[in-house]
Amino acid sequence: MFNNLIDKVTTYFSGTDENRSGPEQRQDIPRDQHNVSRSAISEPAKKVLSRLNNAGYEAYLVGGGVRDILLGGQPKDFDIATSATPEEVHELFRNSRLIGRRFRIVHVLFGREVIEVTTFRGNAADADEEDDDDDRRTSEHGQLLRDNVYGSMQEDAVRRDFTVNALYYCIRDFTVVDFTNGMSDLKKRQVRLIGDPETRYREDPVRMLRAIRFAAKLGFTIEPETEAPIHKLAPLLTHIPPARLFEEVLKLFSAGYGEVTYDLLSDYNLLAPLFPETAAAIANGESDQLIRQALRNTDKRIAQGKSVTPYFLFAALLWPALQAEWRRRQDNGDPVQPALHSAIGWVIGQQVQATSIPRRFSGPMKEIWELQIRLPRRQGKRSLVTLSHPRFRAAYDFLLVREDAGEIEPGLGQWWTEFQELDEKGQERMLSELGSATGPKKRKRKKPAKKD
Ligand code: ATP
Ligand code: MG
């Protein structure tokens, strides 16, 4: 306790935080030395910045918005950091709402575009006892449960995750402000955590996933000290609420770099906390070819501007777990269909302990899986019933992925490709050819099931 006090006093008088590595001198990069131009910033983001400035507050574009423009890309969204408190921001914008508990932020809404405005956050290491109330909370694992202590711009910079995410752009004088050598890391194309990596991962284990996401998306390497603790700390992700991890999984796999992301997650031990049963099945020899093929297709779709559905992604990511469990139940004597049905229930029950799966996604995911044993059964009216199933299209796409992954013999996918495009006559013809190819259509009498 005494030591703790001395630390605080030292920190207070030195004016710097000695726990943080690297030089943290403010560098102002003038407009002729960087390529951020106002025209790359959306109108709503510019509006929010100028209104805050005109009201006398400091306000900067920060995070992915600055980073992606500096890299010559198109930002996904715009984040703003300001000296105004959430209440003050809310008061300035009628079209805004206060959200969040862990981090209180303001969303300013312009049609479909949402500008996220955060107040400069204070430095965790400088937290006083009086801050130790409801504004900042830490768990027994060192995890920050709440972080609503406000501070200066420099403090805000070192509270951010990676140096390339802590660059600020000022629309008044067009400078980029850098406190953490983010510009140099951007040039080196590396993801570097600000401060002591282990401490920062313990504060928020999701930063490990974010490191992977940015490395994959930007094609950056993860700086050695930033990558070193990940293997060991990966299990900390099991302390994160399943709903937050669900959101993170979607971000990881819908940014257009799913396959690379999957490889990195596997390499860094991060697949197991997200998909425990899938990771276990793969470790036991189950193939992950279907996951890879599905992610490859997803990446292609995103590159073409198409959307991806969370239930399709999850159907693929949990497939190895389902296969293993389905087989296990059949080996125990369950017939194919009930074994599938109960394996599905079990796999979902296990998964929601790691990441939640909202019902609107788990329902369709189950249907995709259940249709996989209906797709090969095409005789008589069955094909037409399957074809009219609301989830037929997704199940058929899933079947094609299984074929492409080499999991099943090709042929069935092609059959369905043709069948769904034909008129009634054509379909009848295909069904009769099917009948003759697989022997007489006459139903065999079912033998009564043996009882023992
Ligand atoms: P994206 O392109 O995915 O939007 P981003 O860098 O903008 O990337 P956001 O999730 O939008 O990421 O967050 C905005 C900024 O907030 C980040 O750039 C980073 O500075 C800060 N931030 C977000 N999450 C964390 C976190 N878990 N810990 C510390 N800082 C964070
Ligand atoms: Mg962002």
Side-chain angles (χ1 to χ4, degrees):
M1 200 171 124
F2 188 61
N3 280 345
N4 203 356
L5 189 67
I6 293 181
D7 279 352
K8 264 185 200 153
V9 172
T10 318
T11 305
Y12 184 76
F13 283 109
S14 67
T16 60
D17 177 3
E18 294 175 343
N19 291 330
R20 317 238 164 245
S21 62
E24 262 138 34
Q25 232 163 19
R26 176 179 172 136
Q27 296 170 60
D28 287 57
I29 301 136
R31 72 187 298 188
D32 56 345
Q33 285 172 38
H34 65 72
N35 61 343
V36 179
S37 84
R38 281 173 61 106
S39 61
I41 304 168
S42 76
E43 286 307 319
K46 280 189 277 205
K47 216 182 241 176
V48 175
L49 286 166
S50 25
R51 196 177 299 173
L52 282 164
N53 281 162
N54 293 340
Y57 301 109
E58 284 181 75
Y60 299 86
L61 191 67
V62 68
V66 183
R67 180 196 67 217
D68 293 350
I69 295 177
L70 282 165
L71 290 169
Q74 179 61 44
K76 180 168 69 64
D77 48 42
F78 292 95
D79 305 294
I80 287 171
T82 180
S83 59
T85 64
E87 290 73 20
E88 288 167 339
V89 177
H90 184 51
E91 223 154 84
L92 272 183
F93 298 94
R94 263 197 319 150
N95 49 330
S96 72
R97 49 170 200 233
L98 283 156
I99 60 156
R101 182 176 154 84
R102 213 171 59 85
F103 294 121
R104 279 171 72 224
I105 56 183
V106 185
H107 276 176
V108 189
L109 314 166
F110 296 84
R112 290 180 62 189
E113 186 167 347
V114 179
I115 307 295
E116 202 164 284
V117 185
T118 54
T119 304
F120 291 150
R121 224 160 254 138
N123 194 331
D126 295 340
D128 284 328
E129 242 98 272
E130 68 229 47
D131 288 333
D132 202 35
D133 53 15
D134 228 28
D135 289 330
R136 175 175 283 123
R137 287 246 195 98
T138 316
S139 78
E140 54 181 316
H141 311 284
Q143 193 181 323
L144 267 179
L145 300 179
R146 220 174 295 167
D147 191 7
N148 286 316
V149 176
Y150 304 128
S152 67
M153 180 178 175
Q154 173 150 14
E155 286 171 332
D156 184 75
V158 297
R159 292 294 311 132
R160 291 184 178 273
D161 48 7
F162 305 103
T163 61
V164 293
N165 286 348
L167 294 163
Y168 297 74
Y169 177 71
C170 172
I171 56 157
R172 279 216 268 221
D173 60 11
F174 314 108
T175 52
V176 169
V177 187
D178 181 1
F179 295 96
T180 63
N181 279 336
M183 275 299 218
S184 136
D185 288 328
L186 205 72
K187 283 182 196 127
K188 291 186 200 153
R189 303 187 69 81
Q190 67 177 11
V191 176
R192 182 165 64 90
L193 208 44
I194 299 166
D196 170 56
E198 179 156 346
T199 311
R200 301 305 311 282
Y201 288 137
R202 286 188 184 278
E203 277 176 7
D204 183 6
V206 168
R207 288 173 186 149
M208 293 185 268
L209 300 178
R210 292 175 59 87
I212 302 303
R213 178 152 71 84
F214 295 125
K217 168 177 160 167
L218 307 172
F220 279 23
T221 55
I222 304 178
E223 178 269 335
E225 282 184 36
T226 299
E227 91 174 327
I230 299 183
H231 269 93
K232 183 181 89 183
L233 301 180
L236 288 178
L237 281 165
T238 54
H239 302 302
I240 302 296
R244 185 168 178 219
L245 285 188
F246 173 75
E247 294 299 326
E248 289 302 321
V249 166
L250 290 192
K251 285 188 203 164
L252 281 164
F253 292 110
S254 47
Y257 304 87
E259 202 187 359
V260 186
T261 302
Y262 173 77
D263 282 332
L264 289 172
L265 288 174
S266 309
D267 291 350
Y268 286 96
N269 265 1
L270 291 166
L271 195 65
L274 297 178
F275 295 96
E277 296 305 329
T278 290
I282 293 169
N284 282 329
E286 203 65 48
S287 162
D288 68 352
Q289 280 311 310
L290 177 117
I291 295 184
R292 290 178 176 287
Q293 189 60 45
L295 292 174
R296 233 172 271 150
N297 291 6
T298 305
D299 292 346
K300 234 181 263 163
R301 283 183 64 89
I302 295 168
Q304 294 164 354
K306 295 182 189 163
S307 64
V308 291
T309 48
Y311 58 78
F312 195 88
L313 260 178
F314 272 74
L317 288 161
L318 291 172
W319 185 248
L322 180 66
Q323 292 281 88
E325 186 58 20
W326 183 13
R327 194 173 337 100
R328 198 183 66 78
R329 285 171 194 250
Q330 289 182 79
D331 291 347
N332 283 347
D334 290 359
V336 179
Q337 196 154 357
L340 175 63
H341 196 74
S342 58
I344 289 176
W346 183 84
V347 166
I348 294 177
Q350 293 297 107
Q351 182 59 28
V352 293
Q353 296 173 37
T355 74
S356 62
I357 312 176
R359 275 193 207 291
R360 66 183 186 283
F361 301 132
S362 60
M365 180 177 81
K366 272 188 209 167
E367 291 174 319
I368 289 181
W369 285 341
E370 274 164 355
L371 280 164
Q372 296 310 305
I373 53 173
R374 281 171 56 181
L375 287 166
R377 303 174 180 170
R378 294 160 290 169
Q379 258 82 6
K381 289 239 172 327
R382 285 174 165 184
S383 299
L384 295 169
V385 175
T386 301
L387 189 58
S388 65
H389 191 287
R391 216 57 65 197
F392 168 77
R393 183 73 211 188
Y396 156 77
D397 285 341
F398 199 79
L399 177 76
L400 295 182
V401 177
R402 290 173 64 209
E403 286 192 356
D404 289 343
E407 185 185 297
I408 46 173
E409 287 288 314
L412 187 56
Q414 183 58 32
W415 190 90
W416 280 107
T417 307
E418 288 166 25
F419 187 75
Q420 60 187 300
E421 273 157 19
L422 289 173
D423 58 12
E424 213 172 305
K425 270 227 164 84
Q427 289 181 335
E428 269 170 26
R429 184 176 40 78
M430 276 186 83
L431 287 175
S432 65
E433 282 166 12
L434 192 68
S436 59
T438 52
K441 249 170 85 180
K442 238 173 84 186
R443 267 181 162 217
K444 274 195 204 155
R445 264 178 72 109
K446 239 178 150 185
K447 279 190 205 152
K450 259 199 228 159
K451 280 200 181 130
D452 46 9

